[in-house]
Amino acid sequence: MTSSSARPTDFSATDSALGYLYQTRLALWYSLRRLADNDPFSVFIETLDDVVFENSDETSELIQLKHHRRAASLTDASPDLWKTLRVWMEGRARGLIPDGNQLFLVTTSEATEPSAASMLLAENRDITQAADRLSITANTSSNQANAPAYELFQTLKAEERVALLRSVVVVPRSPSIAAVDGPLRQETRTMVRREHLEPFLSRLEGWWFVRVLRQLIATDTPPILSDELESMIDDLRDQFKLNSLPVDQDILEAGSTVGAEAFADAIFVHQAKLAGVGSQRVLAAIRDYHRAFEQRSRWVREELLLVGELDRYEQHLIEEWQLTFHRMADEIGDAAADDAKRKAAQRVYTWVEESGFPIREGVQHPSLSRGSLHMLAEQMRMGWHPEFVSRLTHLLEQRLAS
């Protein structure tokens, strides 16, 4: 049962929030479509319009986006239509929108005949008839919300109205914010293997949202360039090749902020301290453990790993560790003093810090290799001190008993 406090109210900002998210997703979809033209462009969000594409020939395409959760229609007195026309009329009057720019009203609504909107589609246009219908509406409609737009339209001469509408293209029945998943998948389908499409698109959208946010927060942030988007696609595509796996920036950043308190009782932390490792290196171990654990978990959830791949990888790590650990044990012998054992443990721990055993050739971030070793140390399947088993087994027993 849904709590009443969880239901949207008349004052809910849901529609506004969906509108902003819609802008962002549609801008990505349109940008992906444009990449195929091989013509450089720049993308602006919330500047002269909801979305603006600036082309290499310095012309611009301004896009007003209107998203509705329920079915709607663009009538001759539709607020969506007149609010949009008002933005463009004011922009042209102030010289912010040059006459040569194309103006698009992209909406989830219908544009049924014989409305003015239906006469402003990309094909079968009738500019003069659309201007006449809008003039009649501006003179006769009692819609107070549209009144400022009506007044502006009435101040235009007949030829100015036609000139304005000649630049306008209405794009009805645009996919909703949920339905745009389909077009986004279609545009990215050939970029990666079919089974990797969802995680690939998820990462591309994540980057795009962060990039748009940067532009919205800082007014001096440059526009999103087509080269920038293409470079990100190339980088992600490389991460999804057969010899690689994606390494996610959000996981790397989160690992850098993990505090030691959360892992105070972790066995791998006790392993490091038993080797005489200082607090800063222990903190680095926690960072690497967190990164490896989270990244490997995401790979598993997204089914990016082959069957048995993690088991084979961990067996490889254990075999490499055995060579180093048993070499150390042979060097110090059974009768070594505690100080010699601790120094030997530090040599093994240095091997951990310098290890480079990627799960796949293309996964070269060292944190994931070191973190995987710490994950095995957490399970007591390997250790650094010659006597780690006898000295720390009680910790594992306590954990199993709790």
Side-chain angles (χ1 to χ4, degrees), residues 25 63 69 103 122 186 189 217 229 279 310 329 364 373 401:
R25 299 199 83 192
I63 302 175
R69 287 185 285 171
L103 311 172
Q186 184 175 355
R189 169 62 195 91
I217 291 175
L229 173 59
S279 60
L310 267 182
Q364 290 296 327
L373 290 168

Side-chain angles (χ1 to χ4, degrees), residues 270-278 281 325 328-329 332-333 335-351 383-388 391:
H270 286 284
Q271 291 254 36
K273 290 180 177 179
L274 183 61
V277 172
R281 293 167 76 189
F325 183 79
M328 173 268 294
I332 64 172
D338 285 345
D339 185 59
K341 293 176 181 177
R342 186 169 56 254
K343 289 180 179 179
Q346 290 183 9
R347 292 197 299 273
V348 177
Y349 195 84
T350 298
W351 168 84
W384 328 128
H385 192 280
E387 298 173 349
F388 79 92
R391 297 198 185 195

